[in-house]
Amino acid sequence: MKNASLTVSLAGLRLANPTMLASGILGYSVETFESIAKGGAGAVVTKSVGLKPREGYPNPTVVQVSSGLVNAMGLPNPGIQEFVQEIRKAKVALRVPLIVSVYGFSPAEYATVAGRAVAAGADAIELNVSCPHVKETGSEIGQSSQVLIQVVRKVKHTINKPVFVKLSPNVTSIEEIAQAAANAGADALTIMNTVKALAIDAETMMPILANKTGGLSGPAVKPIALRHVYSVYERVKVPIIGCGGISNWQDAVEFLLAGASAVQIGTAISTIGPAVFEKVACGISKYLKRKGLRSVSEIVGLSHRN
Ligand SMILES: Cc1cc2nc3c(=O)[nH]c(=O)nc-3n(C[C@H](O)[C@H](O)[C@H](O)COP(=O)(O)O)c2cc1C
C-alpha cells in the first residue's frame, strides 16, 4: 500500500503535514522560523505581537515543574511596526504558511495589529484571547463571550485571511466560548493556551516566577486539552487545532481522533528540538499506513463514533 497523505487543508490553508509551531515558544526571528520549518513543521505561528512594544516581566519568567513548564513572560514583543519587517522576510524565506499571533487591549487594537500583519504577508491570524497572566487582554477577553464576539467580528471585517481564535482552558464553559467565537466568524479554533498555575520554592518560601502566577504547559496539561478538543468538537462545527502537551506521534493521533484537524507543538521543542515535528509527522504517517488509511482527515473525530 502507498504511503498515506499527510496533507491537511485548514481553513483554506494547505499544510504539508498537520504539525504546527505553537505561539510563543521560539520568539520572532526569521532564522528560528526557518529552523522549525526545516524541522518538518507544516506551519509556523509567531509569538503574540501587539500594537506597541512591551518589555514583559522581569526574570524568572519560566520554571520547570514535574511534567511541564510554568511561564509568565508578560507578552514581551517588539510591537507590530517593528515586527512587520520580520513578517516580510519570513514570507520570502518560508515555504510553509505563516500565522501571526496577535493580542490587543480592545477590538480596534486587535484589528489594527491583524491588518498590519496581513498587509505584510501573514497567511492567517491567530487571536490570542487566552494569555493567563496579562491584565486586560488575553484570557480577560477570551472568558467573556460578548467581548470575544466583538473582537472576532472586528478582525473579520478588517482582514480577508483566515482568523484562528486561541481559547483558554481557564473558563467555566469552553464550549460556550467556542460557540461564540464560531458564531462571530472564527475560521478555526486553537485549543488550548496554558492552564493557570503556580510554583513555590520551599527554601525561599516564595513564588518562583517574578509575576508569581503563570500558565502550565507540557505533558501535564495534555489530558485537559484533549478533553476540551473532544467536547468542543461535539458542539461546534469549525476546524479545531489541538494544542497542549503534545510531544510524540501518539499524542498527536489522540488529538486528531478527539476532533482536531491539525496540532500545535510548543514545550516539547525545549526537550526534543525542532526535529519533533518530523518525528511526529512520520509517526502519524506510519500509523495511518498500519491502519490501512490514506489520509489524516480519515481519523479526525473518529473517537466519537458510537
Ligand atoms: C514560554 C511560553 C511562551 C508562550 N507564549 C505564548 C504567546 O505569546 N502567545 C500564545 O498564544 N501562547 C503562548 N504560549 C502558549 C503555547 O502556545 C501553548 O498554547 C501552550 O504552551 C500549550 O502547548 P504545549 O504544551 O505544547 O507547550 C506560550 C507557552 C510557553 C511555554
Side-chain angles (χ1 to χ4, degrees):
M1 190 185 162
K2 276 188 10 192
N3 279 346
S5 162
L6 285 179
T7 310
V8 166
S9 168
L10 180 69
L13 299 184
R14 190 186 168 281
L15 276 55
N17 75 69
T19 68
M20 306 166 67
L21 169 66
S23 175
I25 316 298
L26 286 175
Y28 297 92
S29 84
V30 178
E31 293 73 25
T32 321
F33 298 150
E34 276 185 287
S35 76
I36 291 297
K38 277 199 192 113
V44 162
V45 185
T46 71
K47 188 159 175 58
S48 300
V49 62
L51 193 57
K52 296 186 190 139
R54 232 182 105 90
E55 270 198 8
Y57 300 136
N59 285 326
T61 52
V62 184
V63 56
Q64 188 149 17
V65 295
S66 36
S67 297
L69 300 175
V70 179
N71 93 83
M73 311 279 292
L75 293 172
N77 79 97
I80 188 65
Q81 197 171 334
E82 174 90 17
F83 188 53
V84 288
Q85 293 165 30
E86 292 301 304
I87 299 175
R88 286 194 196 109
K89 281 193 244 162
K91 270 312 286 175
V92 179
L94 290 180
R95 265 180 242 116
V96 300
L98 175 71
I99 297 124
V100 175
S101 169
V102 310
Y103 75 89
F105 293 91
S106 67
E109 240 184 70
Y110 273 95
T112 304
V113 180
R116 289 190 194 164
V118 167
D123 295 301
I125 294 296
E126 183 175 89
L127 301 178
N128 179 357
V129 290
S130 43
C131 173
H133 50 72
V134 176
K135 283 200 182 341
E136 290 169 33
T137 181
S139 57
E140 291 197 17
I141 295 209
Q143 68 197 9
S144 153
S145 296
Q146 266 130 26
V147 184
L148 179 61
I149 285 170
Q150 286 176 28
V151 169
V152 178
R153 282 206 182 126
K154 184 89 183 157
V155 175
K156 285 291 291 178
H157 277 132
T158 309
I159 63 169
N160 59 0
K161 293 282 179 187
V163 175
F164 303 170
V165 179
K166 183 164 179 183
L167 301 181
S168 168
N170 308 308
V171 293
T172 311
S173 167
I174 196 167
E175 299 81 4
E176 258 174 48
I177 301 289
Q179 187 68 67
N183 292 348
D187 297 289
L189 302 171
T190 303
I191 299 177
M192 60 181 207
N193 210 314
T194 53
V195 179
K196 276 188 181 179
L198 175 69
I200 288 181
D201 182 331
E203 292 309 317
T204 63
M205 303 174 168
M206 292 296 290
I208 297 172
L209 297 179
N211 185 57
K212 298 193 173 77
T213 61
L216 179 64
S217 62
V221 305
K222 192 189 87 177
I224 302 172
L226 205 53
R227 182 264 173 202
H228 288 325
V229 168
Y230 187 88
S231 155
V232 169
Y233 180 82
E234 296 209 326
R235 174 104 170 243
V236 182
K237 298 293 161 230
V238 298
I240 297 170
I241 303 160
C243 177
I246 296 169
S247 53
N248 55 43
W249 69 264
Q250 288 96 331
D251 295 335
V253 164
E254 289 168 27
F255 274 86
L256 298 169
L257 292 169
S261 300
V263 293
Q264 292 183 359
I265 300 174
T267 300
I269 300 165
S270 60
T271 46
I272 302 170
V276 67
F277 296 98
E278 195 178 344
K279 284 187 181 158
V280 169
C282 192
I284 297 173
S285 175
K286 285 187 182 150
Y287 170 84
L288 292 174
K289 193 171 178 190
R290 182 157 55 79
K291 294 285 184 188
L293 301 167
R294 273 169 304 186
S295 71
V296 173
S297 62
E298 287 182 56
I299 61 165
V300 172
L302 215 54
S303 70
H304 292 261
R305 68 193 188 285
N306 291 317

